[in-house]
Amino acid sequence: MTRASLLWFLVLLGASACDAPAELTVDLRTDWKPGLDFETIVVELSTAPFDEDGAEPARSVVVEVDPLADFIFGQRIAELDDVPLGRS
């Protein structure tokens, strides 16, 4: 392999390793009774810890709960696309 070919191979390898946005799904499983113990579910996504001064949710999903819903076996609450990856 020539030096130029190796360089292009490394460039392409590096480009393919870029972090793509992730998807986040939130499922809730509880024995609390909807409509009695809770009526609304709020899912908040932030790019900073919520305990920092001035931290605001980047995205928020508010779900009004169906009082007849069964959360014992779990219910899908939210699906968020294009979620930036966190720091590792």
Side-chain angles (χ1 to χ4, degrees):
M1 186 179 277
T2 67
R3 190 176 198 113
S5 297
L6 179 61
L7 178 62
W8 276 110
F9 175 76
L10 292 175
V11 168
L12 292 174
L13 182 64
S16 67
C18 293
D19 292 331
E23 296 177 1
L24 174 68
T25 57
V26 179
D27 296 335
L28 176 63
R29 184 176 168 188
T30 182
D31 62 350
W32 286 13
K33 304 213 180 333
L36 183 61
D37 295 323
F38 65 102
E39 297 175 352
T40 304
I41 301 168
V42 178
V43 177
E44 294 181 337
L45 178 68
S46 177
T47 56
F50 283 108
D51 58 355
E52 286 185 3
D53 290 336
E56 299 265 337
R59 280 192 267 176
S60 186
V61 176
V62 178
V63 178
E64 297 298 324
V65 176
D66 177 1
L68 301 176
D70 180 11
F71 285 90
I72 292 290
F73 297 106
Q75 294 282 330
R76 176 73 32 101
I77 301 302
E79 294 180 352
L80 301 169
D81 295 330
D82 298 325
V83 175
L85 297 176
R87 292 173 260 164
S88 53

